[in-house]
Amino acid sequence: MEIIRAKHFILRPFKKGDEESLVKNINSKNIYRATLNIPYPYTMKDALQWIKKNEDLQKQTSRTSINFAIDIKGDIVGGIGLSYIESYKAEIGYWLTESYWGKGIVTKAIGKITQFGFEHLGLKRIYADVFSFNKASMRVLEKNDYQLEGILRKNVLKDDRLLDEYLYAKIVKG
């Protein structure tokens, strides 16, 4: 799988040996709250399953999902990926450990993954679902020219509550 380089981090495949760093940096109630599929508390068992899942995904010839670790000096400080990959579209998802919030890392990572999806996977549309309270996530998408397409009322169940999601998308021009 590809490695994508940025000035302050690299995006690379998750691999064996990332588990400890992953647990340390993802195990946050705030990350859990803002994401749909990350458990809390996040355990070593969760990390082992995630690494194994990604190793299996990398072996597939027709990928339905591709995930990158956000690596700063060997520390896994976040993750970003494309899922539900179909012939022309995919969903983008991401998380970042709290100590790096507000430093432009996710904004840059979204730009890199979006470019990767359009140029290397031939996608024409990349979309994101964002909980209505997650204004920071909306801002980083908007900084990458994602457009708000609509609000999906009571679209997802989290912690026994139905939540609204804001649907953002970026489409290849032309």
Side-chain angles (χ1 to χ4, degrees):
M1 190 164 116
E2 300 78 3
I3 293 176
I4 301 170
R5 298 188 186 285
K7 187 174 182 179
H8 299 292
F9 61 87
I10 63 169
L11 302 178
R12 63 157 176 84
F14 286 94
K15 65 182 190 306
K16 281 186 174 90
D18 288 341
E19 297 87 358
E20 212 170 288
S21 180
L22 181 57
V23 170
K24 175 184 80 172
N25 287 306
I26 198 173
N27 194 26
S28 159
K29 195 148 200 167
N30 288 325
I31 292 171
Y32 163 79
R33 189 174 157 265
T35 59
L36 187 57
N37 297 312
I38 295 174
Y40 181 80
Y42 195 93
T43 66
M44 185 59 74
K45 180 181 176 186
D46 295 319
L48 289 165
Q49 289 173 340
W50 179 251
I51 301 297
K52 171 82 169 88
K53 176 183 177 177
N54 280 282
E55 288 176 340
D56 292 345
L57 283 170
Q58 291 171 37
K59 295 174 188 169
Q60 293 178 350
T61 52
S62 178
R63 292 192 199 150
T64 56
S65 186
I66 186 168
N67 296 300
F68 293 87
I70 302 174
D71 180 320
I72 296 179
K73 299 177 185 170
D75 197 19
I76 305 307
V77 301
I80 189 165
L82 297 168
S83 57
Y84 307 109
I85 299 171
E86 296 181 32
S87 59
Y88 66 93
K89 66 180 179 177
E91 180 178 15
I92 190 170
Y94 43 88
W95 66 272
L96 186 70
T97 194
E98 292 178 67
S99 61
Y100 284 96
W101 287 4
K103 298 184 186 310
I105 291 169
V106 168
T107 301
K108 188 74 166 170
I110 289 171
K112 294 281 188 186
I113 290 299
T114 301
Q115 180 181 3
F116 173 83
F118 289 154
E119 292 179 4
H120 295 278
L121 301 179
L123 299 175
K124 305 297 182 209
R125 172 185 171 81
I126 300 175
Y127 62 92
D129 295 320
V130 181
F131 293 146
S132 58
F133 59 81
N134 195 343
K135 305 302 182 202
S137 191
M138 293 178 197
R139 279 194 303 276
V140 296
L141 289 165
E142 290 165 356
K143 287 179 184 177
N144 279 286
D145 299 321
Y146 279 71
Q147 303 297 311
L148 176 63
E149 292 188 330
I151 301 170
L152 308 171
R153 302 280 180 212
K154 299 193 183 315
N155 192 54
V156 66
L157 184 65
K158 178 150 178 108
D159 295 333
D160 297 322
R161 290 179 46 224
L162 285 170
L163 299 176
D164 295 348
E165 288 184 305
Y166 282 51
L167 175 62
Y168 280 82
K170 186 168 183 173
I171 298 167
V172 172
K173 303 278 190 253

